[in-house]
Amino acid sequence: MNPREEPDWRLFRGDGVPRHVEMPPAPPWRRFGGGEQAAPGGNRTPSASGRPAPYLIEPEHADVVNAALHLRRPLLVTGSPGTGKSSLARAIAHEMDLGEVLRWPVNSRSTVQDALYRYDAIGRLRETALTRDRGEAEPDIGSFVRLGPLGTALVPGERPRVLLVDELDKGDVDLPNDLLTVFEEGEFEIPELARLPEEQSVVDVLTERAGERATVRRGRLVCEEFPVVVITSNGERDFPPAFLRRCVRLELPTPDESRLRAIVTAHLGDDALEDVDQLLDAFLRRRAARELATDQLLNAVFLRAGGMDVTADGLLEAVLHRLGGAV
């Protein structure tokens, strides 16, 4: 390449000159659209080859997962950012062939009722008025009840479903205790359906999954197989003893150098390990002084593999930036 030419990886040059630029392939974990190239949050996290990337876990940690599966108890997974807490739910679902992961991302406004179901009373009133004006039958109430991720996970079935309760420590302080009854009884009531007359005691409602319906009898939904519940926490809040007693706890360790190399290989292939020593040393050095996540290293290695000079001024700092504190 002519020394005066701009490197090929510079898609944006900041000179105000319009160009037709072909976008390079995205990282495997940032490809959307379903199928084998499912994005994070789907059932599979692909590798560079397009096949699902293996989830790397130590045997003693896998044994803790198995304990939760046998006991039908929620698995409370803690650890530093980037240690694979959320990915564990997808790994379990993929390896046990349990279908798509149901995900409940918790925030400060999250409630157990919203995770169980939502009832669109206003929409039902509007549709009822319109159908009456047209002389048609009133719409079925089931079309205005949609189960949330937790409610969908409890839908009766021969095989359990996998539910990821992501970052429970971001929720209200009472949220863990509010979950206890549902986790202990494996059922819940929908009062709007429980009040219906006997001739309407069986109602098909919408679920979290598009195009799927579930049957609710007399306003109660009771699971047959308790779902595989994976709860993640970044350790930002202590949970009440009553909640902890009902969970199986798994602490994922921060990956060491050999594990980091294995993770890079799993996601980006053996070729990605070429000339990675400098990046890995920089990552380990920065991680010792401040909080960094494993996926930040993957980002840096992916850019390096694509020909990008990640050691350029400010670029490494932008990719391996600290996760805590003011921005």
Side-chain angles (χ1 to χ4, degrees), residues 45-325:
T45 303
S47 63
S49 65
R51 296 187 299 270
Y55 184 85
L56 305 179
I57 186 170
E58 297 293 340
E60 60 266 28
H61 300 143
D63 288 344
V64 177
V65 175
N66 283 303
L69 294 173
H70 281 279
L71 293 172
R72 274 42 171 204
R73 287 291 187 182
L75 179 68
L76 177 60
V77 187
T78 57
S80 303
T83 52
K85 299 187 295 296
S86 300
S87 300
L88 179 56
R90 295 190 289 272
I92 295 171
H94 171 63
E95 188 171 321
M96 296 180 63
D97 193 24
L98 296 178
E100 181 184 357
V101 174
L102 296 162
R103 183 170 179 264
W104 178 21
V106 176
N107 57 49
S108 60
R109 300 177 301 278
S110 296
T111 65
V112 171
Q113 179 172 324
D114 287 340
L116 290 172
Y117 79 96
R118 298 176 296 278
Y119 172 53
D120 186 4
I122 295 177
R124 187 187 179 202
L125 286 173
R126 181 175 60 250
E127 290 298 318
T128 298
L130 291 174
T131 53
R132 284 176 179 173
D133 292 342
R134 295 193 296 261
E136 301 172 354
E138 294 184 8
D140 179 27
I141 188 175
S143 299
F144 303 95
V145 177
R146 181 179 294 276
L147 301 181
L150 176 56
T152 302
L154 295 173
V155 171
E158 295 181 359
R159 302 270 287 166
R161 305 186 184 209
V162 180
L163 171 67
L164 171 62
V165 183
D166 211 8
E167 299 186 329
L168 181 62
D169 48 342
K170 287 187 176 180
D172 183 81
V173 66
D174 292 326
L175 188 59
N177 281 330
D178 294 341
L179 282 168
L180 290 181
T181 301
V182 178
F183 284 162
E184 284 300 291
E185 298 180 359
E187 64 178 82
F188 66 97
E189 182 182 72
I190 302 177
E192 292 83 356
L193 303 184
R195 292 192 292 264
L196 295 175
E198 182 64 25
E199 60 271 17
Q200 300 179 36
S201 60
V202 179
V203 179
D204 287 339
V205 302
L206 304 171
T207 74
E208 184 80 0
R209 293 172 172 169
E212 182 185 71
R213 284 182 172 264
T215 301
V216 179
R217 291 177 170 83
R218 293 181 174 83
R220 296 198 71 81
L221 196 149
V222 184
C223 74
E224 293 178 359
E225 273 288 343
F226 188 76
V228 178
V229 181
V230 177
I231 303 172
T232 71
S233 169
N234 289 324
E236 297 178 3
R237 172 182 298 164
D238 292 331
F239 295 126
F243 175 79
L244 294 176
R245 181 169 59 86
R246 289 165 171 84
C247 296
V248 175
R249 301 183 64 177
L250 172 61
E251 174 79 22
L252 291 179
T254 301
D256 58 16
E257 180 176 347
S258 61
R259 177 49 61 93
L260 289 172
R261 290 181 181 274
I263 291 173
V264 169
T265 301
H267 285 273
L268 296 173
D270 293 329
D271 294 342
L273 286 179
E274 297 181 4
D275 300 324
V276 77
D277 292 344
Q278 182 182 9
L279 281 178
L280 189 56
D281 289 343
F283 176 82
L284 291 172
R285 187 171 58 254
R286 289 165 179 257
R287 192 180 68 178
R290 53 188 175 179
E291 195 174 62
L292 293 179
T294 305
D295 57 356
Q296 292 175 284
L297 174 63
L298 288 173
N299 290 336
V301 175
F302 176 81
L303 293 176
R304 166 67 65 82
M308 196 169 187
D309 182 12
V310 293
T311 60
D313 291 343
L315 187 53
L316 191 62
E317 178 66 29
V319 177
L320 300 183
H321 60 84
R322 67 193 181 105
L323 301 180

